[in-house]
Amino acid sequence: MSTPVTAPPTIINFTVDGRQLSAPPGTLLIDACKRSGIEIPAFCYYEGYSLQAACRMCLVEVEKMPKLQTACTLPVMEGMIVRSETEQIAKARKGTLEFLLTNHPLDCPVCDKGGECELQDMVFRYGAGESRFTEMKNHAPERQWSPVVFYDPARCILCYRCVRACNEGMGVGALGVTNRGVLSEIAPNKEDHLDCDECGACIDICPVGALTSNIYRYKTRPWEMQHVATVCTHCSNGCKTTLGVRNDEIIRGNNRDRGGINGEFLCVKGRYGFDFTASEERLTTPMIRIDGKLEAVSWSKALGFVAEKFKSVQADGGKFGVIADTRLTNEELFYLQKFTRAGLKTSNLDHAASGDLITLLDALSGQTDALATTDDLYKTKAALVIGSDLSQQHPLLAFQLRAGVRHNKTRIYTVTPGPVREAKYSATSVTVPLGEEYDALAKLTDRLKAEKELVILFGDSIKGQRVRDLVAWAATLGIPVKYVCLVDDSNSRGALDMGCLPNLLPGFQVDPHPGLSQAGMLAAEDLDVLWIVGANPLRHAPLASRKAFVVAHTMFLDETAARADVLFPSASAYEKSGTLTNVTGQVQRLKAAIKTMGAKADLEIIGLIAKEMGLAPTLGPWTHDIVFKEIHSGVHGYNVPLPVLLTGGAALTSPVNGPVKVNVLVDEIRSAGDTLFTSGSLGRHSKLLTSVPEFPGALYQR
Amino acid sequence: MFNEPHPDEVRIISKRFGLPNSASIDTYLAHEGYVALMKAIEMSPEQIIDELKLSNLRGRGGAGFPTGLKWSFIPRDNPKPKYVVVNADESEPGTCKDRLLIQNDPHQLIEGCIIAARTIGCKKGYIYIRGEYRYLIDIMDKALAEAYAHGYLGKNIKGSGLDFDLYTHTGAGAYECGEESALLESLEGKRGVPRIRPPFPAVSGLYASPTVLNNVETFCTVPAVLRMGGQAYADIGTPKNGGTRMLCVSGHVNRPGVYEVPLGFPMQKMIYETCGGILNGKKLKGVIPGGSSSPVLKADECDFPMDYDNYARMKTMAGSGGMMVMDEDTDIVKVALRTMRFYAHESCGWCIPCREGTSWLRKILTRMDEGTGRRADIDLIHELAKNMLGRTFCPLGDAAAMPTIGFIEKFREEFEARLRETTMLATTPDQLISIN
Amino acid sequence: MSLTFTPETEKILQDIWSRYPEGRKRSAVIPMLMYAQDQLGVVTSELVAEVAKRCEVSPLQVEEVVGYYSMLNKKRMGKHHVQVCTNIACLLMGGEALWHHATKRLGIGHKEVTADGLISLEEVECAGACSWAPCVVDGYEYHHHVTIEKLDQLIDSIQKVH
């Protein structure tokens, strides 16, 4: 071991506006300044995306350099002396803004961006308020590129953020630049329209009102809205979405503060798939089937009716079955399992299982820190995706991997039953027939052994013994391996953790008196009561018991509602508070954004049934924060730091680190296979999602 | 097409012009062709670079960067493949020399490229020729085929162990691609938008690999330097300004043409003797000395030895060697407008000051030319050009700003006269007010 | 609709393709477009798709290039694309008069085509014939020291042949 004669410096010292600063080598001046509270203005610079040096707003004075330098391309250098605000710089910026405004329409009064426009802010700061431009402005008409995206070239300042967000961030590359000079404009990939993820990242990242969304445009001024930061209700990735709300109407979704685990990212569902809340088909009143027909009744009548039925069935020793939705909050799931076990005295309780986390935990018992977080996906040196069209089914996880490829040179391996987007930048991509993914892994063994670490993400084709085989195989690689067991919905993970299972109590504790699984309940001809809280199991399988009294909480008159005897109109995730646990075990707070006439949160409905049945003293209060307290102190792994949650962060749960000895019902584990544009009945009732040409899409197409 | 040799000329790289079949390899071989290459094969890369440094050869494309130094920046221990790229995207207004060099002596360029490849250890090279010069691409392709047939290209060149493939590559109409990093983008099949520099092409050029990129004339000069020796070449010019260069004289002179003269050749002599003076016995108004990007010189400034340092002293530049001579009747406002129309058309649009600045200036100058200029416009033009200067992403912004500033500062009275003319055209007081 | 080229063009396209290293075939985009346009007379969507396929890029990446370069036309130009240079050196020598004469005689403007599709006009930037100004380029063929008479002769000869 010999040490080099001169070790490279680990810290660079420099001066900005008379302040002594330091930063690691390679840090861009603009970033180094930002971290020290010195804001250098820029339109084109965007942290995490490639450098452009196009807007010329970040010009600064650097001693010993004759010309003004762009802070966005200049790495900090030892002893460098920088001035970020001088008369010369202010003049340059003002001059550039004056240029920029020459062809800008200045239609701020009718522009969606007004009030949160970076160009407005910049002009306010540097005061290019007067224009000496007296010529005709170039004009080009606005275009609609998709049901979501509108482009107004006149407003466009050509910062190329949208192009990079689409190409680098999303891996789609649906936006480019055409023409040249002053006629340059952004162009979509299909001549006059877009064929893309419709994720709206381009719109969100646009500093001006050049890209606008059909959902939000001309609806409101930004300051008229309340901004409610909550968690997306669709897939399991758990993106933070900030809902812009006015008068109990959600007007837009975005990720305003970029503070969530998803940072820049939201997919079409997270950003625009909230409109099901305003669907005309929402159930707004409880209903009871009278003479074969569902009729609207009061809440008290419906609750009383259900409570009486439950009590009499219980008195007769009848058979209950309870099915929980995978979009309920942890509090609802926890309270429901308590109701089922302590109130109804049964473990006939289940949810639609979409991934075999249970076997994974069992196989990993004794290993700590073996479950990957969303952050791990960004930081890992290598990732292996098995049996999932990640960019369609788990778009945030795919986004994290792509960011890793760009920033950390992450190497991606995929083994999938068809082409996937990850193949574009993967080190190795293997396509095999469905179900044969595991067998193909041997081909990658040698290559993976050469990696320093690995995160394995696997879908529903790896379950039961295959999970054990996978863990055993990964152990032979001789490198640290972490796992993500992919599950479908916003709280599929919570349903497992909260013990909405026939054989596991909350925290993966074995239930000594296991009950019927979902398939078991549907097949049981002697089932007396089926209580379906939010899910729609009858869409895919019939209910065998002809006599079963079916109670369903639902938003829409779906297949399950068609068989129900009593319906309760339930609130969506955007109408209630509580917590959700995402696919990587991170808990986040859901915050009610709106109230919708007639609907109640499932927790309240469950609580009111308990009250009517006289179970309230047994089950305890049903306000979400009190239930969460119980989860926090009682459910293994949920003893998370509360400040993280309270400030809108994602708190990592710690899963069991011991054997989970239950018989996993492998055959019932099946992903619903939602694409980027579908989301069960929520998707079918979203006008926006059903209007995009990509709806419903298909997996493994690209 | 080329002018007859003039006694004032020192024909080094144009010496084969006019020979029968001058573009053929046989003619080339009969006139010292590929002699320098055989010499270079015997030399070490360091020796070649030393000769180039000694020669004081500076890039003939416009920037005038010392060629030997440029080649020495190639990191030869870099494991990536290395590339030689020829900038034959000649499109600076006023410039038509590379065209002659390829048309009349393509093998000279090929030889220069092979020597560059030998120097940096490169196996592939591309000659990026502007799309309009299709007939030159045909000539070049024919010459390349001849060079392959004679063993000067391909595998194991002349038994030296050297492998080198050279290809033509057509542009498609974009002045900006004359900027070296934009040319590389274009060569990679993209929009001709310049790259952020550093890194420079010597470190990260074509396909992010070390690349030697020079103008046609520069490569063409390399064989001569090796043949005659760096010192001998340097001795032709003035100190720090080695050798000859091809000056393209156009405009109002009796004998326009492309003349190869030593650096430091007097401009006065060039206009009045070599080129036979001003057309129709008119007086000289000014000269745009080094392509449209160079600030104009007034008639009384046109008497200095034309080398890089003296151009700089005159606050203009040698540029690409395109000397446009204007007689006393020349309408400077029109020239200024035509210049700005060019830059507005050719601005790639990447950065704000150039994209918007050139377009705005074009609009004001158009108005001025059409007779609806306002007095305040003159200062506005000047100030807007200054607001572009030094603030754009690439030199095109400066190239548009510098001549404009020059026209205003040196010929302000012509802009003012244009206002007076239009004032006289006004027939009502209202018009007077609205015009001025 | 699949696109077929003449054997000559196809040979050129394949030769162009072979010039660039593996994984760098995007380099062939511009030359392929240029030579294919010579045959087709215009850059069509089919051509864009074909070039994209051959060069392993997206059609959008090809469209970006087509929009950028002034010699690539999405509008069909005339059989003879007559380009008149009016840049400084030509301007000094009467290039503008040539341009006005051409537009007047043919009744068409910049990047417009005569009704019979025979001739199109373009006012171009410096064509690199400054010392032999003014110049007119017919397709790829240069004409130097052009006068109005010579321009008329050129147009006459084009019209006579067809």
Side-chain angles (χ1 to χ4, degrees), chain B residues 80-317:
Chain B
K80 286 187 177 176
K82 295 165 190 69
Y83 293 98
V84 164
V85 177
V86 181
N87 184 346
D89 190 49
E90 178 169 73
S91 23
E92 173 81 10
T95 319
C96 47
K97 64 189 174 64
D98 296 341
R99 202 180 141 191
L100 289 193
L101 285 166
I102 294 176
Q103 181 175 335
N104 295 301
D105 202 352
H107 284 283
Q108 181 170 240
L109 174 59
I110 296 171
E111 187 178 5
C113 293
I114 307 169
I115 294 169
R118 156 86 189 101
T119 311
I120 64 164
C122 144
K123 303 211 177 311
K124 251 185 187 6
Y126 297 95
I127 306 171
Y128 184 106
I129 303 180
R130 68 179 292 190
E132 293 86 343
Y133 286 176
R134 172 64 65 80
Y135 81 102
L136 291 184
I137 295 176
D138 297 341
I139 290 172
M140 202 69 222
D141 281 339
K142 199 172 156 219
L144 288 171
E146 284 180 329
Y148 272 102
H150 281 76
Y152 288 105
L153 284 173
K155 294 252 176 275
N156 192 16
I157 292 170
K158 291 287 161 193
S160 64
L162 192 67
D163 300 339
F164 182 57
D165 288 311
L166 187 60
Y167 309 95
T168 55
H169 178 105
T170 180
Y175 167 71
E176 182 64 354
C177 293
E179 195 280 339
E180 61 179 11
S181 67
L183 182 144
L184 292 171
E185 284 287 292
S186 181
L187 185 47
E188 291 183 10
K190 303 173 197 163
R191 295 165 63 82
V193 172
R195 296 174 178 173
I196 293 167
R197 294 180 301 161
F200 291 94
V203 177
S204 180
L206 183 62
Y207 311 134
S209 302
T211 301
V212 153
L213 202 169
N214 283 107
N215 170 259
V216 170
E217 186 182 345
T218 315
F219 277 115
C220 286
T221 307
V222 169
V225 168
L226 290 198
R227 253 188 348 254
M228 49 200 293
Q231 190 57 53
Y233 183 81
D235 290 344
I236 298 171
T238 54
K240 284 196 257 167
N241 293 268
T244 59
R245 61 174 315 191
M246 306 280 282
L247 285 181
C248 323
V249 188
S250 61
H252 302 136
V253 288
N254 282 314
R255 280 194 301 274
V258 179
Y259 298 91
E260 184 175 5
V261 292
L263 273 135
F265 193 84
M267 184 181 270
Q268 196 76 7
K269 189 173 172 189
M270 175 58 88
I271 297 169
Y272 290 100
E273 295 177 24
T274 318
C275 294
I278 308 298
L279 212 54
N280 303 324
K282 292 266 172 66
K283 283 203 196 106
L284 178 66
K285 177 176 269 180
V287 173
I288 300 167
S292 63
S293 308
S294 60
V296 64
L297 295 169
K298 293 179 85 161
D300 59 6
E301 295 172 313
C302 295
D303 190 10
F304 65 94
M306 294 185 285
D307 61 24
Y308 291 96
D309 302 315
N310 275 299
Y311 281 108
R313 186 174 59 79
M314 298 306 296
K315 297 198 166 41
T316 185
M317 50 189 218

Side-chain angles (χ1 to χ4, degrees), chain A residues 177-192:
Chain A
V177 187
T178 189
N179 301 339
R180 77 174 183 214
V182 79
L183 300 176
S184 299
E185 52 183 51
I186 304 300
N189 59 350
K190 297 283 165 181
E191 298 195 14
D192 61 348

Side-chain angles (χ1 to χ4, degrees), chain C residues 93-159:
Chain C
M93 302 305 284
E96 221 172 26
L98 291 179
W99 170 248
H100 290 312
H101 180 75
T103 55
K104 223 164 137 190
R105 169 163 173 187
L106 295 169
I108 54 172
H110 180 63
K111 290 219 171 187
E112 288 178 358
V113 194
T114 52
D116 57 3
L118 184 60
I119 301 176
S120 52
L121 277 180
E122 183 176 358
E123 184 184 7
V124 292
E125 297 302 347
C126 182
C130 315
S131 294
W132 316 283
C135 99
V136 169
V137 185
D138 170 18
Y140 293 112
E141 195 187 327
Y142 276 75
H143 297 266
H144 297 134
H145 300 297
V146 180
T147 57
I148 287 184
E149 293 70 39
K150 279 164 92 174
L151 178 61
D152 276 333
Q153 284 165 18
L154 173 68
I155 295 172
D156 288 344
S157 70
I158 293 170
Q159 288 173 334

